[in-house]
Amino acid sequence: MSIQQRLNGLNSRQQEAVRYIDGPCLVLAGAGSGKTSVITTKIAYLVQECGMSARRIAAVTFTNKAAREMKERVGSMLKGKEGHGLTVSTFHTLGLNIIRGELKALGYRPGFSLFDPEDAKALLRDLMNKDAQVDADQINAVQHQISQWKNDLVLPGQALSHAADDDEQYAARVFEAYVRHLKAYNAVDFDDLILLPVVLLRDDPEALARWRRKIHYMLVDEYQDTNISQYLLVRLLMGERSTFTVVGDDDQSIYAWRGARPENLVTLGEDFPRLKVIKLEQNYRSTGTILRAANTLIANNPHVYDKTLWSEMGEGAAIRVVVNRHEEAEAERVASEILTRRIKERAEWRDFAVLYRGNFQARLLELKLQHYQIPYKLSGGTSFFSRNEIKDAMAYLRLLINPADDNAFLRIVNVPRREIGPSTLEKLANYANDQASGRNISLFAACHELGLEQLLPARAMERLSRFTHFIDGVRRRMDQGDAIDAIRGMLHEMDYEAWLYQNASAPTIAERRMANVWLLVDQLEKSMDRDPEDTASTETETDDVEAAISRLVLRDILEQQAEEDDSDRVQLLTMHASKGLEFPHVYLMGLEEELLPHRNAIEVGTVEEERRLAYVGITRARRTLTLTLARQRKTYGELMDCTPSRFLDELPEGDLEWEGRADREDPEKKQARGQDAIAGLRSLLG
Ligand code: ATP
Ligand code: MG
């Protein structure tokens, strides 16, 4: 397709935005109106129509996934060498490239390391523990504060002199030590990826000239989520030339907690008086029903810019709201529906996306999807089976059903710590695999052999046999009685929980990890009762548990293989990670008060941002949207009753199709609630 044909496929305002190249340009428009399409087409236009070298163009966005998608879209438009040297990346990758190219000017040595937030936290913990014992919350608070300072371009000295109270003074002092240590380690943290380039370009005219020669045109997607330093990076790079296009939607600003400034949309007009503002109004993504829901919801927020959004995609199906007994039923429902709907709708797995507020919500869902053997891809967060605690537990299970599984043996022989050292294990392996004698037995079997005693010191031998006796004992109990009981007993007896506590940075993390392990055992138990037809009646319980464990192991392996190919899979992501993406069928889970809107947001009064998040979630859907919630959910280890999200009340009643609601809220209660709200408002107004 020629660039002319591509342009013809766009509406007139989009075309105008693509063609306008002489000055700064802002496209401000609602979801699904083709903002990203303007960016991708404009890149092709600059190269193919204006003869600009792709090397001189940088397009940036926020998530890796969005950058990858954009790259694909552009890649299909540019032929052969046309795209060589083009930068399509996240802000942070662009920053990393600048740092790589400017190591000397920045005073770093080659081979610097990038600290992820966990590394940074560990360093902070060391620094803070020097003075007094501090807890995880304090460390998090200081880390957050430092990150804010960096995003606002505040240096340690300034932080110290502007500190408003003792806490800030303390944080500023830690900040100073933290920066000094990072530098000594030749390391940068995540926020430095933007901060260092900005400071360099601001203070070093030669470096600035170098980068201005390199980048002639910039395009920024999801501009509403830029923070001060990201904005400055764009401004510095573009300078007077001001050849850039930014696109955004203030209703989709969902990163205020990371310092994003939707006001940057306004600032842009002030900093660049020549700014051309183009608004788009037609949505090409969603059905009328879905779009109406999104518009009605977001109308509850105050607006800087008025935007209208309409669609010609037809009314489409009603939005389903499915109320479930509890969170497990919710996950079960979503998984089993996707299984049947794929066939009914003649859809592919990848046409379905399940979105949620927090990664923890994916846990149960993953198990259910695996139960139905539905391929899925989890973005962000750690997939259930790749968690360390689950890998440990799986290794125990594997060893229990197959003591000859050497990999499982090696993974857990020292977990929890049994003081069985590497040299003991090496001798054990040599003995088990003795070429000379032709001996070729498993590590576990070798531990039982008398011959080994001659090779190992008595202490080491004793530790090894204590371990093998322990496992043998569990195996015996599994044979004789309730296998699941024996497994639970094993986890208690070796005090795996204490081990998790020793190794976690915070008790809550250890708690969650242990809960994951129990969840795995529960699932194992369930999968034993649920598949009675799989096993002949003559088989014993041990056979059942073996079969169930093997199924778990297989799922684990299948999942690891699936990890490699990105093809046809159900997408699981947080609403934050879903920005800019679209799917034919979307499930939005957990529409409950305290989850969406999130409890913290309710407490600190940032419900508007949560509403934008819900808006982002809803506007990902092209054809159908299903909202789910649970009547009860485990929160902090306790089963709690949930209240449906206020956002459900804000959607157009007539477009919703409720399922499983015991009874609609009784009108008296609703009225009472209304009166409460009025009373609250009155008291606020004094
Ligand atoms: P978001 O705010 O969610 O990031 P967006 O404004 O970036 O959305 P796009 O993703 O660019 O919107 O476009 C949404 C969908 O509409 C895409 O499938 C895109 O291919 C399609 N689209 C965009 N412009 C047009 C057009 N003029 N005609 C037909 N389809 C279009
Ligand atoms: Mg977009």
Side-chain angles (χ1 to χ4, degrees), residues 250-251 253-254 301 608-616:
D250 49 324
D251 285 332
S253 163
I254 52 176
N301 272 7
E608 281 171 17
E609 172 135 333
E610 297 289 301
R611 191 175 284 111
R612 290 193 290 268
L613 192 57
Y615 175 80
V616 168

Side-chain angles (χ1 to χ4, degrees), residues 530-564:
R530 208 177 305 179
D531 301 298
E533 69 272 23
D534 278 6
T535 45
S537 54
T538 50
E539 281 177 318
T540 64
E541 176 156 63
T542 322
D543 295 321
D544 284 350
V545 76
E546 280 185 15
I549 292 174
S550 317
R551 278 196 300 270
L552 275 181
V553 173
L554 181 65
R555 283 187 212 168
D556 182 13
I557 295 168
L558 284 176
E559 193 202 295
Q560 277 171 22
Q561 286 171 349
E563 201 56 46
E564 264 92 64

